Amino acid sequence: MINDPYRILGVMPSASDEEIKTAYKSLIRQFSEDREKMAEINEAYDSIMDLRRGSFEQAAAGGFAEIRHQIQNGNYNDADSMLEAMTEKNAEWFFLKGSVCYAKGWLNEAYANFSRACSMEPYNQEYSSAFRHMNENRNGYMRGDPNDTGFGSPNGRFGGCGVCDICQGLICADCCCECMGGDCIPCC
């Protein structure tokens, strides 16, 4: 293991990923003929990127668990704020952002985020289920939600109101209108 990979690349630990990549590429061009130096530069670069990736994944794992908790408790604004504070965006980020958008009724944004999560991790069943649900919504089907909380059901009843309930309500409204001299549904 390298003692100070940042020193080898000639960058500060506070350097951005882009600055590190630029320094790495410059050194690779400069020492392309020196195998020993190339190995040292590659090891330093890999070491820095592994450290950064590991710290992001650890922070994200804890953050994502808290964001899921906020979504489950209906704290969508808090969850959204936590997501927006994250600088790196992976498939989990897009899935959770889609979940927040869906809960807020922002269906176009939810669809775009679920789509992005699925394209990044196509074999994730949770992401695929949410995206499939959004496709069904766009095609006029209203079954379930990405979290299976019983939004609707396949028997045609949504929000406790079926087609028969709607027809009964219209007939009742028409009768009331006719009693008062109006006509809500002219054909009846």
Side-chain angles (χ1 to χ4, degrees):
M1 179 79 187
I2 296 177
N3 289 338
D4 187 359
Y6 292 100
R7 184 185 55 74
I8 291 169
L9 292 184
V11 295
M12 299 295 294
S14 61
S16 69
D17 287 350
E18 194 58 41
E19 291 170 323
I20 291 169
K21 286 179 188 175
T22 302
Y24 169 72
K25 288 177 184 178
S26 174
L27 289 171
I28 290 296
R29 281 191 295 272
Q30 183 180 350
F31 295 101
S32 61
E33 301 297 320
D34 184 348
R35 286 184 178 220
E36 191 174 308
K37 186 69 173 172
M38 288 285 289
E40 185 182 28
I41 293 167
N42 284 327
E43 189 177 350
Y45 178 76
D46 290 344
S47 176
I48 290 170
M49 297 320 280
D50 287 347
L51 284 170
R52 288 179 174 221
R53 195 174 308 117
S55 63
F56 166 70
E57 288 170 358
Q58 287 174 345
F64 289 145
E66 179 58 27
I67 292 167
R68 282 180 177 268
H69 179 73
Q70 294 297 329
I71 291 170
Q72 288 174 342
N73 289 333
N75 301 324
Y76 307 118
N77 290 333
D78 291 342
D80 197 31
S81 295
M82 292 169 73
L83 284 166
E84 291 303 319
M86 296 177 122
T87 55
E88 304 252 357
K89 297 175 182 174
N90 62 8
E92 179 76 0
W93 188 95
F94 285 102
F95 171 74
L96 293 174
K97 182 70 172 182
S99 298
V100 168
C101 291
Y102 183 83
K104 289 182 168 189
W106 302 339
L107 299 183
N108 288 336
E109 290 88 349
Y111 182 86
N113 282 294
F114 287 145
S115 174
R116 183 83 182 266
C118 283
S119 68
M120 294 172 87
E121 287 187 26
Y123 299 109
N124 185 304
Q125 293 298 314
E126 185 179 26
Y127 304 167
S128 297
S129 175
F131 186 58
R132 186 174 44 256
H133 173 72
M134 291 304 301
N135 275 326
E136 288 174 352
N137 281 349
R138 290 172 68 116
N139 293 325
Y141 303 109
M142 297 295 286
R143 279 183 281 213
D145 72 6
N147 300 315
D148 294 322
T149 58
F151 173 68
S153 65
N155 66 5
R157 297 183 65 83
F158 299 99
C161 186
V163 175
C164 291
D165 296 326
I166 293 170
C167 289
Q168 286 176 333
L170 284 172
I171 292 169
C172 185
D174 184 52
C175 289
C176 289
C177 281
E178 288 175 357
C179 287
M180 296 184 179
D183 195 11
C184 182
I185 304 173
C187 65
C188 297

